[in-house]
Amino acid sequence: MFSSPFSENNDQAPTGSITLTDDKGRTLECYIEHSLSADGQEYVLLLPVDSPIEIFAWEGDDEEEEAVLVEDDAIIDEIFSTAQAVLAEQNLLLKNTAYALTVAGELPPVEDSELFTLEIEEDEADLEPEQLQLLTTFYHDEQEYAIYTPLDPLLFFARIAKTGEPVLLSPEEFREVQPLLEEQLFNEVE
């Protein structure tokens, strides 16, 4: 997953769709937001068809409470049916898709009181805080969980393999081709 400066260029309609598949065989249907060639390789900027969500566990006491992103597949499997049930009350269908959990359905309107700012701390990068909208909360085995959706789009960069299948760029590959891709995308915008 990559945040991208290209996310603000959404004045063009998506040009088709493509399916990403992870190493566990899960799929994620995505719109092709941009397609471009650089150095003889075709690259695509992808936006998931369904809305991504993130599940956080609230840990600590009231004064020192903090949200911890749930990334462990075993915990997600354990709480999935409960999360699915509480989202269904909002007419949202939770899906265990590749690379991100997603929901199908119309998200509620954004309300300032339901926003959460996630400060991202990484040693080597100055990353912008991420704004998330609260969808719902629930309890499982006396643990409180909260389900949020990011306000900024979740974008994926992939290259098209010789087989025609999309292959997500690793962080290292992305850093190598990022300047070339940015230059080409910004030239297309002008």
Side-chain angles (χ1 to χ4, degrees):
M1 291 184 288
F2 305 103
S3 291
S4 169
F6 314 125
S7 61
E8 296 174 12
N9 181 28
N10 286 334
D11 55 342
Q12 299 175 353
T15 58
S17 66
I18 200 165
T19 302
L20 292 174
T21 304
D22 68 8
D23 56 359
K24 295 179 182 174
R26 298 177 297 193
T27 60
L28 179 64
E29 188 71 21
C30 294
Y31 295 118
I32 301 172
E33 289 292 304
H34 290 285
S35 176
L36 56 104
S37 291
D39 292 337
Q41 176 65 58
E42 184 179 358
Y43 295 95
V44 288
L45 179 63
L46 305 172
L47 176 70
V49 170
D50 295 321
S51 302
I53 61 111
E54 296 176 1
I55 301 176
F56 289 86
W58 286 100
E59 296 182 355
D61 60 26
D62 289 338
E63 293 174 13
E64 294 293 322
E65 194 172 48
E66 74 173 306
V68 177
L69 181 63
V70 177
E71 298 179 285
D72 185 332
D73 285 339
I75 294 173
I76 290 172
D77 290 345
E78 184 180 321
I79 65 174
F80 190 84
S81 62
T82 305
Q84 199 169 38
V86 296
L87 285 168
E89 293 172 4
Q90 296 183 30
N91 296 318
L92 296 171
L93 174 63
L94 178 60
K95 300 177 181 181
N96 194 353
T97 50
Y99 306 110
L101 294 172
T102 59
V103 291
E106 188 173 333
L107 295 175
V110 176
E111 294 183 28
D112 288 342
S113 63
E114 300 294 314
L115 293 181
F116 172 67
T117 301
L118 178 64
E119 299 288 336
I120 303 170
E121 297 175 11
E122 282 199 22
D123 298 337
E124 58 194 58
D126 271 338
L127 299 175
E128 293 289 319
E130 184 176 8
Q131 288 265 286
L132 304 164
Q133 175 187 354
L134 177 67
L135 297 178
T136 191
T137 61
F138 66 96
Y139 283 87
H140 182 82
D141 289 340
E142 299 182 22
Q143 171 66 57
E144 183 181 8
Y145 294 94
I147 302 174
Y148 290 89
T149 186
L151 293 185
D152 291 331
L154 175 64
L155 300 170
F156 295 93
F157 251 120
R159 62 181 160 76
I160 303 300
K162 291 179 181 169
T163 61
E165 296 295 314
V167 177
L168 281 185
L169 296 182
S170 70
E172 296 79 25
E173 288 175 304
F174 181 74
R175 278 193 286 279
E176 285 178 23
V177 298
Q178 182 178 9
L180 190 58
L181 298 175
E182 286 177 353
E183 178 183 325
Q184 201 158 6
L185 282 174
F186 289 130
N187 287 342
E188 287 178 14
V189 171
E190 294 174 349

